[in-house]
Amino acid sequence: MTIAGMSVVEILEGQQRGEFTPEEVLRAHLDRIEAEDVGAFLRLCPKGSPGKGLLQGVPVALGDEVCTEGVETTAGSRILSGFVPPYQATLVGKLEGAGAAVVGKTNLTEFGLSFAMEDALFQRTQNPWRSGTTPGGAAGGAAAAVAAGQAPAAVASDTGGDVRIPASFCGVVGFTPTYGRISRYGVIQHAPSLTQVGLLAQKVRDIALLLKVLAGEDPQDATTLPGELPDFLEKPGEPGSWRIGIAPEAYRSCAGGDVYQATEELWQRAAEELGWQLVEVDMSWLDLAQVARRLIAAAESSSSLGRYDGVRYGYRAKDAQDMRELFSRTRAEGFGEGVKGEMLLGTYILGDQAHYEAYYLQALRARNLVYKSIKDLWQQVDLILTPTTPRPAGEGETPLEIFTGPSNLGGLPAISLPCRLVGGLPVGVQLIAPAGEEGRLLRAAHVLEKMIDFASSRNGGGQRA
Amino acid sequence: MHDFEAVIGLEIHVELSTASKIFCSCPTTFGAEVNTQCCPVCLGLPGSLPAMNRKAVEYTVKTGLALNCRIAQHTWFDRKNYFYPDLPKAYQVSQQDAPLCTGGCLEIPMGEKGTKKVGINRVHLEEEVGKSLHAGETIIDAVYSLLDYNRAGIPLIEIVTEPDIRSAEEAQVFLESLRNIVRYIEVSDCKMQEGSLRCDANISLRPKGSTVFGTKTEIKNLNSFRAVRRALEYEIKRQAGVLKDGLAVEAETRHWDEQKGITIAMRSKEHASYYRCFADPNLVPLDLAAEWIGQMEAELPELPGARRQRFIDGYGLPEYDAQVLTSSKEMADFFEEVVKGYNDPKTVSNWIMTDILRHVKDQDEETEGIPLAPASLVELLQLIEQGTINRNQAKEIVLPEMFEDGKSPRQIVKEKGLEQISDTSQLEGVIASVLEANPDVVQDYLGGREKVMGFLVGQVLKETKGKANPRLVNEMIREKLKQ
Amino acid sequence: MSVTKQEIKRLGEMIYLDLTDGESVRFADLLNLVLKKADDLLSGLKDKPLRHISQLRNRMREDGVGIPLPKEKVLANAAETQDGCFRVPRILED
Ligand SMILES: [Zn+2]
């Protein structure tokens, strides 16, 4: 087996057995990046031999919204082209402190505002499963890199499915922890109330390892969770029967037939083979959650992206005569169409008292409705199982984030596992857990992952062509 | 003018004197080299996040408590969105919907008219913006501007009064009283010159007796107490003129031009817009426990009002003295220190209120402290009491020197050779010659005109260049003429 | 009530964003689409607005002074500087 394409755990074990060195691991991945150009990376920044630690010698890709000191960071926007942060994200320090090697910065849609990777501005990223097909977004570069064996793991932000959607499309594991579990300091965000720092890898065990390194309180991020970290994977004695919430009716109306069928088959197998107990629950609020999340993201974006004015950093329009012209042209020339639309939407709904009440405040009410509805579900179930995306990579009506957005609204941990191929392309299945229950989520995902056995299963046929 | 009443509300911004900024650990030192007190957080670099300074919250709550406000038990911070080059994030973290402190009041002394209560609408915590330095005389004819973000992110409180103020004088007294309180509780140095205390005023006129509000203007750029008073006096006249002409006052922002002594309408599209406020997700809410608020209250020092009363009750001072002495914390502290060493409160008060205040007032409006060590005033008073120098010498010669070069009174007395002559043998000859030279006066005295004694003593003092101890001279002459 | 092209231009002015006519039309359509959906799904909700997803409270740091960025780093990303400051064209419009 070649090094590039191995999971994080395989790389660590291989190094431990003396089969290869950290330098060889890094070289192998850089070679793979060169050999198979899927447009995942915006730029490479391989550093020298990293130190010791839990992730010793593990190459990690970072979404380009993660600030790296001395390395250009653009968040996928022209308005930040050339911006070299004089500081780094807390998570970068943690990764490097654990011996991981940051290989490069991956492509994303502008500020991560669109889930359609086709909207990315700097370059086209291919789905490694089928050239010419979208990898999904916003973290399309990160997912493509992991799927193509160019990095065994990646870190990118998720405000509505940005990590899980491309994970689903690219056949890898995508995970978002509880809101505040991983520090957001130094991660460029458009909607901080929704942003969870997410992880991508090939296996659930890899995710657990990364989470162990990255989780924890950060004095520079007031929303990070204090206290003891939960056991993510080691907890022995898996209960044989989790109570699993499913909403067949809602799924059927939102997801394509193939995807629905794949998901249904999966939960039936889980019930039979794992003894999971299925509980039908109400999720009639999926559409409402989708619209509320979009409004909140738009409102926060209209504020968070105000700082890009050409004065202190980033793109600046030439020869402006006064401040208004400087700001208005810098922003007109620096932002892409998608971001402008969302900022205008956000400005509209915050822009006067009546709109604020009719839209922004109503979106916050809807957020509470979703928050409470899911909270109530934990009386009946331990986990919720949904499709990750309504379809595999490709065109469709239903918003891509229909199943992934609610956990961002609620600040809940969620994970997408490759489920099977639909029309030759992967689709994922999502598990959602209560806040703070990453341990339960990852243990259940680990069991489910084994059952699915995506890489070698008949249904999965889970090897890339 | 008699037919109109002014309705004035003040909006005061006070920079808190924390060591570090509100959301980052950058220092807050005034006057540092440009852009040397900045970091990713206060520059609003992408991805940076705020970390709330506990002291900023404490100082805000203490200010609220000192102004008799209710302290919110649940509160949060909003983003106030607008664009300006000095605002690095294009939003100011502030408190729109849930201010920390609301519904207070401040009683201000209005001389013979007694006191007046001014309502405090709110005190909230926010962040300071950077500084624009305009190339050119004013912002209007500047071709370009330079931005320094040293100030950006210094914690700032906004204090908003109810429209309870009725005259320019009241506005000034209010501001002075407010500053006094804020300095008493040591949450800000309140230097208007350095901008750590700033004031905007909203003012409208209405016919006397009316209860509806007229159209108000907002006056900005009030950089001193004098400016507040002058600008409001001007604006009252201006609005009265407009109304008397049967015209309407424009609702607008006006800029006080200190040089010309007028207010000028400002066109400012930038700040006219709605601020699109919403809760900042990057800061978690504050739930303030009643015990914690109680602790803040317990930590408050004695406030001016209470201290004034104590000066009356405890030191037996007249109300006027107590008022003046407690009008600044430094002065009240000074007074109490001196009384510790020289236990005659009324004498100490007289000295401070007349001679010392005269010296202080000759200096800058901003200098609050008395540039004397309390111990040196104690020493001066003791020198007078001991008869080493007389009161006049103390006031006219020693005290100015003390202010001038900070020498101790004893040293000044020695250097100037001011010690009074209290040696009878030295004085006897002088007295003898004075009596000899003024036989008529001596006759008058012996004839019962005791008043002429003053003249004789004066002559002796003149002969001794003021060094003779007058009390002693008086006694000696009396004794001599008895014989 | 639908959002007009003019309204979009006004919103653009609020957030300092020059818009072409074409953009204004497209964005008006976009907003109308989203707002219609919001009207359909969100109006009438009576739940309490959820302002903070973080359940944490009172996160504060002590008032300690740290080391600021060196001035060169502060200014390194700026397009135009002068005398150690960021330079912008005249602030007031004619
Ligand atoms: Zn700072």
Side-chain angles (χ1 to χ4, degrees):
Chain A
M1 190 179 180
T2 53
I3 298 173
M6 285 183 178
S7 72
V8 171
V9 171
E10 285 165 346
I11 288 171
L12 289 170
E13 287 172 352
Q15 287 184 110
Q16 213 147 46
R17 287 193 298 267
E19 290 165 17
F20 38 77
T21 64
E23 290 72 27
E24 286 165 337
V25 172
L26 184 58
R27 187 72 261 153
H29 286 90
L30 292 171
D31 288 347
R32 175 66 69 87
I33 292 168
E34 210 171 312
E36 187 181 354
D37 188 9
V38 292
F41 288 89
L42 289 174
R43 73 195 62 81
L44 298 174
C45 53
K47 289 212 187 136
S49 161
K52 291 185 186 313
L54 270 181
L55 295 175
Q56 188 176 346
V58 175
V60 176
L62 298 178
D64 200 36
E65 72 275 32
V66 179
C67 283
T68 39
E69 188 172 353
V71 176
E72 187 183 0
T73 300
T74 68
S77 180
R78 279 193 304 268
I79 210 156
L80 271 176
S81 50
F83 173 63
V84 179
Y87 77 114
Q88 70 181 11
T90 300
L91 73 89
V92 177
K94 287 197 169 191
L95 282 175
E96 290 181 342
V102 172
V103 269
K105 312 291 294 287
T106 55
N107 197 16
L108 69 156
T109 59
E110 186 172 17
F111 287 108
L113 259 156
S114 165
F115 301 109
M117 201 56 197
E118 311 83 280
D119 293 343
L121 294 174
F122 290 132
Q123 67 191 31
R124 202 67 189 257
T125 300
Q126 304 294 335
N127 189 323
W129 285 80
R130 188 184 290 163
S131 195
T133 303
T134 179
V146 173
Q150 299 179 344
V155 183
S157 62
D158 187 310
T159 59
D162 308 85
V163 156
R164 289 159 288 159
I165 291 166
S168 169
F169 282 9
C170 294
V172 298
V173 181
F175 164 81
T176 45
T178 306
Y179 186 81
R181 180 68 75 199
I182 299 178
S183 169
R184 294 179 291 116
Y185 187 80
V187 178
I188 303 176
Q189 300 158 56
H190 64 276
S193 88
L194 297 163
T195 303
Q196 291 152 286
V197 173
L199 308 172
L200 295 119
Q202 295 187 2
K203 290 283 193 252
V204 174
R205 279 183 67 193
D206 299 354
I207 299 284
L209 203 54
L210 284 162
L211 183 59
K212 196 166 176 176
V213 168
L214 293 177
E217 188 174 0
D218 176 5
Q220 293 189 287
D221 177 356
T223 63
T224 45
L225 299 165
E228 289 281 300
L229 295 181
D231 259 335
F232 293 126
L233 213 46
E234 284 81 6
K235 200 168 182 172
E238 246 88 83
S241 69
W242 295 111
R243 296 171 301 162
I244 304 294
I246 49 169
E249 210 175 309
Y251 301 166
R252 211 174 294 146
S253 72
C254 294
D258 296 348
V259 169
Y260 176 78
Q261 206 185 334
T263 318
E264 187 181 42
E265 277 176 31
L266 184 78
W267 74 57
Q268 280 167 355
R269 263 187 78 193
E272 282 163 30
E273 295 175 29
L274 305 175
W276 287 9
Q277 190 187 324
L278 303 175
V279 182
E280 283 201 24
V281 296
D282 171 52
M283 284 195 215
S284 52
W285 37 258
L286 281 176
D287 285 329
L288 170 147
Q290 189 271 334
V291 118
R293 200 211 64 85
R294 178 160 186 189
L295 292 185
I296 290 168
E300 292 182 19
S301 298
S302 72
S303 162
S304 302
L305 304 184
R307 68 187 69 191
Y308 304 105
D309 58 13
V311 176
R312 291 158 301 277
Y313 46 80
Y315 177 80
R316 178 187 179 107
K318 301 276 173 290
D319 305 321
Q321 294 305 301
D322 59 36
M323 181 192 85
R324 173 163 285 277
E325 190 189 342
L326 173 71
F327 284 13
S328 306
R329 272 184 36 221
T330 293
R331 294 164 60 76
E333 294 162 18
F335 287 124
E337 169 119 0
V339 164
K340 289 179 187 174
E342 295 308 302
M343 286 197 304
L344 290 166
L345 174 60
T347 306
Y348 182 87
I349 67 175
L350 292 173
D352 73 37
Q353 194 61 32
H355 297 165
Y356 175 87
E357 282 169 18
Y359 298 109
Y360 182 67
L361 217 51
Q362 286 307 102
L364 295 187
R365 294 183 198 285
R367 185 172 197 173
N368 202 14
L369 184 150
V370 173
Y371 178 80
K372 283 193 302 193
S373 300
I374 298 180
K375 204 170 178 188
D376 288 346
L377 289 185
W378 304 128
Q379 306 291 325
Q380 303 165 254
V381 304
D382 303 308
L383 296 159
I384 296 167
L385 186 151
T386 77
T388 305
T389 47
R391 57 182 176 275
E395 297 290 304
E397 279 288 301
T398 313
L400 282 173
E401 76 280 19
I402 189 77
F403 297 118
T404 47
S407 67
N408 297 80
L409 278 177
L412 308 175
I415 193 166
S416 172
L417 305 174
C419 175
R420 61 173 287 177
L421 294 184
V422 168
L425 287 171
V427 288
V429 59
Q430 176 180 241
L431 289 175
I432 303 172
E437 294 290 348
E438 285 94 337
R440 182 193 302 173
L441 179 71
L442 291 176
R443 287 194 298 277
H446 189 52
V447 175
L448 194 62
E449 178 185 52
K450 270 193 228 158
M451 184 198 84
I452 296 171
D453 191 15
F454 181 70
S456 52
S457 70
R458 206 156 25 93
N459 273 344
Q463 296 288 343
R464 288 193 299 135
Chain B
M1 190 95 68
H2 58 277
D3 34 358
F4 289 115
E5 174 185 60
V7 176
I8 300 168
L10 300 179
E11 245 182 67
I12 298 116
H13 287 95
V14 175
E15 281 181 3
L16 299 178
S17 55
T18 52
S20 65
K21 292 185 177 180
I22 183 169
F23 298 134
C24 61
S25 63
C26 287
T28 56
T29 322
F30 180 80
E33 187 188 337
V34 292
N35 291 308
T36 56
Q37 303 195 143
C38 307
C39 74
V41 176
C42 54
L43 288 169
L45 292 194
S48 65
L49 296 172
M52 179 61 79
N53 185 336
R54 182 189 305 278
K55 200 146 245 171
V57 174
E58 289 179 4
Y59 281 5
T60 311
V61 168
K62 282 185 174 171
T63 307
L65 289 170
L67 295 174
N68 309 298
C69 291
R70 280 188 306 276
I71 308 302
Q73 305 233 332
H74 178 74
T75 178
W76 66 86
F77 295 87
D78 297 307
R79 290 184 180 184
K80 182 173 166 183
N81 298 283
Y82 67 93
F83 286 80
Y84 210 73
D86 65 12
L87 188 64
K89 300 187 292 289
Y91 60 80
Q92 179 191 32
V93 174
S94 180
Q95 296 192 290
Q96 188 74 14
D97 289 339
L100 265 165
C101 324
T102 53
C105 69
L106 174 58
E107 236 173 82
I108 59 171
M110 291 309 300
E112 275 131 51
K113 288 174 252 168
T115 60
K116 155 140 194 164
K117 218 179 227 186
V118 176
I120 306 291
N121 177 284
R122 60 156 62 199
V123 180
H124 74 236
L125 177 58
E126 57 187 30
E127 60 181 324
E128 180 68 286
V129 300
K131 224 174 195 161
S132 323
L133 314 154
H134 308 294
E137 289 282 295
T138 66
I139 185 171
I140 297 157
D141 49 43
V143 238
Y144 63 89
S145 295
L146 300 177
L147 276 305
D148 167 21
Y149 295 103
N150 279 351
R151 202 179 69 171
I154 289 177
L156 193 65
I157 52 174
E158 182 175 316
I159 301 165
V160 182
T161 75
E162 298 295 350
D164 291 345
I165 297 166
R166 292 288 172 268
S167 71
E169 187 199 358
E170 281 182 16
Q172 184 180 349
V173 174
F174 174 85
L175 204 57
E176 282 169 353
S177 305
L178 178 72
R179 180 175 71 152
N180 190 22
I181 285 200
V182 172
R183 293 173 62 120
Y184 256 79
I185 60 176
E186 294 176 326
V187 305
S188 171
D189 56 15
C190 288
K191 292 184 180 164
M192 285 190 97
Q193 279 176 334
E194 293 182 4
S196 62
L197 172 69
R198 302 195 293 273
C199 178
D200 298 333
N202 286 301
I203 169 165
S204 62
L205 296 192
R206 65 183 174 193
K208 271 219 166 103
S210 164
T211 51
V212 289
F213 293 120
T215 307
K216 67 183 179 193
T217 58
E218 188 183 5
I219 320 284
K220 289 191 180 280
N221 194 38
L222 304 175
N223 294 325
S224 65
F225 293 111
R226 212 169 90 90
V228 170
R229 184 169 182 155
R230 284 178 68 211
L232 285 171
E233 278 167 355
Y234 172 86
E235 187 62 14
I236 290 170
K237 278 199 196 115
R238 189 192 70 84
Q239 289 192 13
V242 171
L243 294 172
K244 276 182 180 155
D245 288 346
L247 302 170
V249 170
E250 293 272 336
E252 62 192 356
T253 300
R254 299 179 70 86
H255 188 89
W256 169 245
D257 187 323
E258 180 78 33
Q259 301 265 294
K260 297 187 184 136
I262 57 169
T263 63
I264 306 160
M266 267 165 63
R267 264 196 296 162
S268 168
K269 269 194 254 172
E270 334 311 334
H271 292 80
S273 64
Y274 188 77
Y275 290 117
R276 299 179 283 129
C277 292
F278 69 95
D280 188 351
N282 290 328
L283 288 159
V284 302
L286 300 177
D287 281 352
L288 303 180
E291 305 87 76
W292 185 82
I293 296 169
Q295 189 191 324
M296 289 298 110
E297 195 153 20
E299 282 177 19
L300 282 182
E302 185 184 29
L303 296 176
R307 202 170 195 182
R308 184 172 61 228
Q309 200 53 50
R310 185 165 60 78
F311 276 23
I312 296 168
D313 301 341
Y315 294 119
L317 293 179
E319 197 168 323
Y320 178 74
D321 288 37
Q323 171 59 40
V324 173
L325 289 175
T326 55
S327 69
S328 100
K329 181 171 191 297
E330 286 80 357
M331 193 159 36
D333 288 348
F334 183 83
F335 167 79
E336 294 207 277
E337 278 305 305
V338 175
V339 169
K340 268 187 212 161
Y342 189 83
N343 192 13
D344 179 354
K346 183 57 187 159
T347 298
V348 174
S349 169
N350 289 344
W351 270 85
I352 293 178
M353 299 211 337
T354 55
D355 300 281
I356 291 188
L357 266 189
R358 199 176 60 232
H359 280 279
V360 173
K361 279 206 176 122
D362 286 346
Q363 298 169 348
D364 201 333
E365 176 185 347
E366 293 279 318
T367 325
E368 235 4 84
I370 293 170
L372 282 186
S376 66
L377 181 58
V378 170
E379 195 177 295
L380 184 69
L381 295 176
Q382 283 168 347
L383 287 173
I384 299 168
E385 192 178 62
Q386 288 155 7
T388 312
I389 52 173
N390 61 46
R391 262 181 69 89
N392 269 337
Q393 289 173 309
K395 286 187 184 188
E396 304 303 330
I397 305 168
V398 183
L399 192 64
E401 283 284 306
M402 286 162 67
F403 276 107
E404 196 84 348
D405 43 15
K407 285 180 191 157
S408 82
R410 213 175 282 282
Q411 199 182 348
I412 296 166
V413 165
K414 191 171 262 172
E415 281 175 15
K416 301 235 158 193
L418 296 177
E419 294 97 336
Q420 289 186 34
I421 304 169
S422 300
D423 180 349
T424 47
S425 64
Q426 272 188 54
L427 291 173
E428 252 162 33
V430 183
I431 289 172
S433 59
V434 166
L435 295 182
E436 212 168 301
N438 297 285
D440 303 353
V441 183
V442 171
Q443 279 313 309
D444 281 357
Y445 176 81
L446 293 174
R449 286 188 62 199
E450 296 242 337
K451 272 173 151 181
V452 299
M453 175 59 82
F455 173 79
L456 294 170
V457 173
Q459 290 303 304
V460 174
L461 282 170
K462 199 172 159 193
E463 289 296 311
T464 57
K465 298 195 171 77
K467 289 189 196 172
N469 180 336
R471 204 160 11 110
L472 188 61
V473 171
N474 192 305
E475 268 168 38
M476 285 173 72
I477 295 176
R478 232 174 258 282
E479 202 55 38
K480 195 146 191 148
L481 294 180
K482 251 189 215 168
Q483 295 162 0
Chain C
M1 185 193 69
S2 80
V3 183
T4 62
K5 194 178 88 178
Q6 287 70 29
E7 174 112 46
I8 294 290
K9 289 240 175 179
R10 194 186 60 80
L11 294 173
E13 269 173 32
M14 273 177 90
I15 56 166
Y16 287 77
L17 186 61
D18 275 353
L19 297 168
T20 64
D21 278 350
E23 282 176 324
S24 301
V25 172
R26 287 201 299 281
F27 292 140
D29 291 346
L30 171 84
L31 262 65
N32 284 319
L33 208 72
V34 179
L35 296 174
K36 167 78 173 61
K37 208 167 160 188
D39 287 332
D40 292 347
L41 290 162
L42 304 186
S43 59
L45 291 182
K46 294 279 190 289
D47 304 72
K48 229 177 115 193
L50 182 62
R51 277 200 172 78
H52 292 93
I53 190 61
S54 174
Q55 300 305 301
L56 299 171
R57 296 293 180 266
N58 304 342
R59 300 300 293 274
M60 291 178 267
R61 66 179 177 89
E62 300 312 317
D63 180 26
V65 173
I67 301 164
L69 278 180
K71 193 165 156 184
E72 312 78 66
K73 287 197 174 182
V74 168
L75 299 171
N77 279 291
E80 202 182 345
T81 62
Q82 181 182 321
D83 306 331
C85 290
F86 300 86
R87 186 180 151 138
V88 293
R90 53 179 307 166
I91 289 178
L92 285 199
E93 301 152 54
D94 291 318

